Amino acid sequence: MRMRSSHSQALLILLLSSLIAGAANAEPSRDPTNKDCHPGDKAALLAIMAALGQPEPPYPDNFCCDWYYVICDDLGRVVGLELFQHAELTGTIPDAVGDLTHLKDLLLHKLPALTGPIPPAIGKLTDLTMLRIFWTGVSGPVPSFLGALKKLTFLDLSFNSLSGAIPASLGSIPNLSGINLSRNRLTGAIPSFISKTADQVYLWLSHNNLTGPIPAEFAAVNFAHLDLSRNALTGDASGLFGGGKELDYVDLSRNSLDFDLSGVVFPAGVESVDLSHNAIRGRIPAQVAYVDDLRYFNVSYNRLCGALPTGGKMPEFDLYDYQHNRCLCGAPLFRPCKK
């Protein structure tokens, strides 16, 4: 089995982001007796679209709760604004978005002409549970004021041009269990900014320039999906694993992680493990052969030694999953083990 392409990983992230967002933020019902949305909300919507180069409403004769990018609650308050795949929308995120005081879900997706930083006005949206700004030209830092959004459960700022450090203030959001900051230009160390009490945590930080060790506190986090690939992380990542954890997917590839794999116990339900292109030492634990759900396992380009495990799942993996290690031996490698 060959290594997944970056395109496939991106599709997986997008799919999971959509599933999490949909499960946690179902669309409110609409009351047909409401004639229009709240006047203040309507004014804010018109100001937002005018600032983005669309001064006319999409359906001038329709109530604003029927506009295709607007979601209202039963009282006519705008609780969702979803702008996506609009190449003609230009400019920066308007400050008027902060006037949608009941907003719970803000989605700005595939807006290539949307530029500039994330404005402080978003910090006013204290009812926000979903903030998704991805595949845009947005730049600047990940703002520390996002830590004031205490109801936030999912944050997706991936596929942008954000730079600087990840703010530790995100750790003050009690129920934030999904964070996607992948495909940016983030630097510095990863702070300990993930809830240890959430039932399942999804974290994607791949394709950045993050350095330093993985926080030791991450060992106590119940990750379901964890992607820290393509950074410059160092040190020991063994604490992320363990037989009692619910980890489904982990990608730590293309870093500079250096630890002994010999004593690592892989979670019983893990389906995908990519540890390739690091400096990992020791032997491949025999237990990996009997992880029933494992479908992808890649430890190539490390410093592993010893005989490859046999039996169980091992025939499903090929030499590409083990190549370029110091002294691994045994099938499917062409290096037999010395007796």
Side-chain angles (χ1 to χ4, degrees), residues 153-233:
T153 61
F154 193 84
L155 174 66
D156 190 343
L157 302 178
S158 61
F159 290 84
N160 292 304
S161 296
L162 299 171
S163 58
I166 299 172
S169 63
L170 295 180
S172 67
I173 304 175
N175 296 312
L176 184 59
S177 58
I179 300 176
N180 189 354
L181 303 178
S182 60
R183 303 268 180 169
N184 280 289
R185 302 170 185 171
L186 301 176
T187 56
I190 301 175
S192 179
F193 69 120
I194 300 294
S195 170
K196 299 181 181 65
T197 59
D199 290 337
Q200 288 188 322
V201 174
Y202 297 77
L203 177 62
W204 300 276
L205 300 177
S206 69
H207 292 77
N208 280 291
N209 299 303
L210 299 169
T211 56
I214 297 171
E217 294 85 353
F218 277 15
V221 176
N222 191 25
F223 288 109
H225 285 246
L226 178 63
D227 189 349
L228 306 179
S229 63
R230 293 180 182 267
N231 283 288
L233 302 172

Side-chain angles (χ1 to χ4, degrees), residues 293-316:
D293 293 332
L294 192 61
R295 300 290 180 267
Y296 184 82
F297 182 70
N298 193 328
V299 292
S300 62
Y301 292 88
N302 278 290
R303 301 174 183 173
L304 297 167
C305 280
L308 289 173
T310 58
K313 306 284 294 187
M314 302 315 291
E316 299 182 16

Side-chain angles (χ1 to χ4, degrees), residues 81-151:
L81 177 61
E82 301 182 347
L83 300 174
F84 52 92
Q85 294 182 318
H86 282 280
E88 69 275 12
L89 296 184
T90 62
T92 60
I93 299 174
D95 287 339
V97 74
D99 296 329
L100 295 172
T101 54
H102 287 67
L103 201 63
K104 295 181 179 180
D105 184 1
L106 176 59
L107 170 64
L108 305 174
H109 172 47
K110 284 196 174 181
L111 306 177
L114 187 69
T115 58
I118 298 172
I122 287 182
K124 297 164 57 179
L125 302 175
T126 53
D127 280 343
L128 210 60
T129 60
M130 298 281 175
L131 177 57
R132 294 173 286 163
I133 304 171
F134 60 112
W135 290 85
T136 76
V138 168
S139 58
V142 177
S144 60
F145 62 70
L146 295 181
L149 304 179
K150 302 303 183 185
K151 296 182 181 180

